[in-house]
């Protein structure tokens, strides 16, 4: 079992990634850490706890950054994509459980020090928590086994604007800090995640199971698919961004990578753009191709 910390800004595809990870025996989930992003950090923490309760699992949740690495104010949330509550407007009650008191970056530091060279961090929101952790304790950089990041658009256009992907534009300084730190990074960006589409018809199969949890995931995913169909007419489903990062952590053979140096633009109209090149010492493994069908089958065999 691979020990992991899953850093989320829960969000519908974050919730799907959580469920996929929770049902994958290859992974030992040490904890979830939360960040602002799709919603505020308070909402992301609430949603993470709610998803865990719906899934019937108890894994500790640690709240993290409520603003960007340089304490710049984040511009709005992604409620048009993920709903007012971040979960496709499916949340009826607040969770009963609570987050732990430890700050998410401190939890990351403690875990990595306890288990040097063992822990994989999967980050599927803005990279603020990870940037704060390595700024506070740079000695953990060589001790992290691997970081799998959902973010960026290296050879394809962004999804917030022509240049930037949502997790990168939410905190470009944090992303640049992480990419230039020496951490061993695999970047699962729009280059591959836009090829992993979940068609609406699958939701009927989930609902046919007659289980409350499956209905909960089907309802929230339907909201997400409707957003995708209005934003990308004819696309035929929603992109499984965050689940693909979990998939790559489980089985890296789902993707092909190219090792590059990746810089993140931090200023101006291209802020959040991820620029790949071969200058300096290339060391970020950028996913450039994906076996989408094989991944989708694996994801569907676990998620609900
Ligand atoms: C990323 O942005 C968020 O909206 C999703 O949860 C995903 O992490 C995709 O660009
Ligand atoms: Ca996310």
């Amino acid at each position: 079992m691979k020990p992991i910390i899953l850093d989320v800004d829960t969000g519908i595809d974050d919730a799907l990634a959580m469920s996929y990870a929770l049902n994958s025996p290859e992974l030992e989930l040490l904890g979830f850490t939360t960040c602002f992003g799709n919603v505020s950090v308070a909402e992301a923490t609430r949603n993470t706890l709610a998803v865990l309760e719906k899934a019937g699992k108890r894994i500790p949740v640690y709240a993290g950054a409520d603003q960007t690495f340089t304490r710049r104010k984040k511009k709005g949330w992604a409620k048009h994509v993920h709903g007012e509550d971040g979960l496709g407007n499916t949340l009826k009650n607040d969770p009963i459980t609570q987050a732990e008191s430890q700050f998410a970056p401190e939890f990351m530091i403690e875990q990595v020090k306890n288990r040097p060279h063992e822990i994989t961090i999967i980050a599927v929101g803005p990279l603020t928590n990870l940037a704060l952790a390595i700024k506070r304790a740079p000695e953990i950089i060589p001790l992290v086994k691997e970081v799998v990041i959902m973010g960026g658009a290296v050879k394809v256009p962004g999804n917030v604007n022509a240049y930037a992907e949502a997790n990168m534009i939410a905190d470009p300084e944090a992303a640049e800090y992480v990419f230039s730190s020496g951490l061993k990074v695999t970047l699962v960006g729009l280059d591959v995640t836009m090829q992993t589409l979940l068609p609406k018809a699958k939701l009927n199969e989930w609902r046919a199971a007659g289980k409350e949890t499956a209905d909960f995931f089907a309802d929230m995913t339907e909201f997400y698919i409707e957003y995708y169909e209005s934003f990308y007419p004819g696309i035929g489903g929603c992109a499984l961004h965050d689940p693909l990062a979990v998939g790559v952590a489980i089985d890296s053979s789902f993707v092909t990578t190219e090792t590059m140096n990746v810089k993140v633009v931090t200023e101006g109209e291209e802020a959040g753009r991820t620029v790949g090149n071969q200058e300096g010492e290339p060391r970020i493994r950028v996913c450039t191709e994906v076996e989408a069908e094989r991944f989708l089958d694996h994801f569907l065999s676990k998620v609900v």
Side-chain angles (χ1 to χ4, degrees), residues 81 194 224-233 235 237-239 241:
V81 185
M194 286 303 290
Y224 196 47
I225 292 180
E226 275 164 15
Y227 162 77
Y228 265 82
E229 283 175 348
S230 66
F231 198 75
Y232 305 95
I235 189 169
C238 62
H241 302 291

Side-chain angles (χ1 to χ4, degrees), residues 21 34-35 39 74 82 197 219 231 244:
T34 64
C35 186
V39 289
K74 156 107 167 55
H82 297 273
L197 298 176
D219 290 348
F231 198 75
L244 184 58

Side-chain angles (χ1 to χ4, degrees), residues 54 85 89-94:
K54 289 280 183 192
D85 60 5
N89 303 329
T90 59
L91 206 58
K92 303 279 178 283
N93 306 304
D94 278 340

Side-chain angles (χ1 to χ4, degrees), residues 9 11-14 38 78 81-82 124-125 150 159 165-167 190 224 228 241-242:
D9 60 329
I12 298 171
D13 62 323
D14 302 75
N38 291 320
V81 185
H82 297 273
V124 298
M150 189 287 127
N159 57 0
E165 180 279 327
N167 290 338
L190 301 183
Y224 196 47
Y228 265 82
H241 302 291
D242 295 350

Side-chain angles (χ1 to χ4, degrees), residues 152-194:
V154 177
K155 297 188 181 188
V156 297
N159 57 0
V160 173
N161 57 39
Y163 310 108
E165 180 279 327
N167 290 338
M168 298 290 106
I169 203 170
D171 197 347
E173 285 90 358
E176 174 57 21
Y177 197 79
V178 167
F179 293 168
S180 60
S181 66
L183 279 166
K184 190 174 169 231
V185 169
T186 299
L187 195 61
V188 184
L190 301 183
D191 305 74
V192 281
T193 63
M194 286 303 290

Side-chain angles (χ1 to χ4, degrees), residues 20 23-24 206 294-304:
Y20 182 26
N23 294 332
S24 293
W206 295 0
R294 189 162 68 86
F295 161 70
L296 185 63
D297 287 348
H298 189 258
F299 167 78
L300 287 170
S301 71
K302 309 269 180 189
V303 68
V304 292

